[in-house]
Amino acid sequence: RGDMQFKFYVDTMTYERLGRTMPLSFDLVQIGVNLFGPVLVLNILGGNRFLVYLFNVACLVAAFAVVVRTFPVSRLRLLFYLTLTPLMFTSLLSINKEIMAVAAIAFFAAYYASGRRWQLAVALATSFLVRWQMTLFMLVFMGMASPLNPFRRRRLLSLFLLTFAISIVYVQNLGT
């Protein structure tokens, strides 16, 4: 089945249990939790932990590649800093959302630097697998940075209005 002897995870057992017991549906996406992405990946990969490891490595390699191709960063220095981050290596070993979040952020930043729409599509799709809130953040950021935003140059006012709106929407949805 592709099991590995070493296991280090936080939510992996929950994702694996849900992958075996719940049908894949958008019911896994709720206000406070998003289980859809990890369960989808597990279902696609047949729950095989070795394939999950390869998927996670592919996410990390894609994030690394898009960053070094888009930004003037030293490949060796970035690789060095990534190796200092314990999250990177532990995230490779089991199904989780953190490694997908790294890829989503890398592709979103690359889109803003290059304007390549395929990078935006990858960022938004990957961010939804992490949390719908991350996707919403990206869309709101794009709206705030857009030339169509009348408050774009008034950053403090934009931030205040956004915080106020989020607070109202969040409180309204706590009961659901």
Side-chain angles (χ1 to χ4, degrees):
R1 240 192 83 122
D3 286 345
M4 297 191 313
Q5 296 300 324
F6 180 73
K7 296 178 185 175
F8 186 92
Y9 39 74
V10 178
D11 297 326
T12 299
M13 298 308 286
T14 300
Y15 300 143
E16 288 181 352
R17 181 178 44 79
L18 290 173
R20 287 188 305 270
T21 60
M22 284 188 74
L24 186 64
S25 73
F26 285 108
D27 291 339
L28 295 169
V29 179
Q30 301 168 12
I31 293 293
V33 67
N34 181 4
L35 304 169
F36 183 76
V39 173
L40 174 67
V41 170
L42 278 172
N43 282 338
I44 289 171
L45 301 177
N48 185 309
R49 289 185 180 147
F50 183 70
L51 292 178
V52 168
Y53 168 76
L54 293 178
F55 171 81
N56 290 341
V57 169
C59 285
L60 182 59
V61 168
F64 181 84
V66 77
V67 167
V68 298
R69 288 183 182 150
T70 306
F71 300 101
V73 297
S74 164
R75 292 173 190 233
L76 288 175
R77 186 174 287 164
L78 179 59
L79 188 60
F80 173 73
Y81 289 135
L82 285 174
T83 60
L84 290 179
T85 309
L87 175 69
M88 286 301 122
F89 292 106
T90 58
S91 291
L92 295 176
L93 298 174
S94 60
I95 190 68
N96 62 73
K97 295 185 273 193
E98 289 81 7
I99 200 74
M100 291 184 276
V102 169
I105 293 166
F107 277 92
F108 190 65
Y111 162 73
Y112 257 87
S114 71
R116 294 185 183 114
R117 291 186 183 190
W118 71 268
Q119 292 172 333
L120 176 62
V122 170
L124 292 174
T126 307
S127 71
F128 184 76
L129 295 178
V130 177
R131 287 191 169 276
W132 65 266
Q133 294 94 329
M134 186 176 195
T135 308
L136 180 61
F137 170 81
M138 289 179 178
L139 294 172
V140 168
F141 179 87
M142 290 171 58
M144 289 182 70
S146 167
L148 300 175
N149 177 5
F151 303 113
R152 185 173 86 138
R153 302 253 186 254
R154 300 178 73 192
R155 291 184 181 145
L156 189 59
L157 179 60
S158 288
L159 187 60
F160 173 77
L161 292 174
L162 178 62
T163 304
F164 182 74
I166 288 172
S167 298
I168 289 174
V169 169
Y170 186 75
V171 168
Q172 293 288 326
N173 287 297
L174 279 178
T176 57

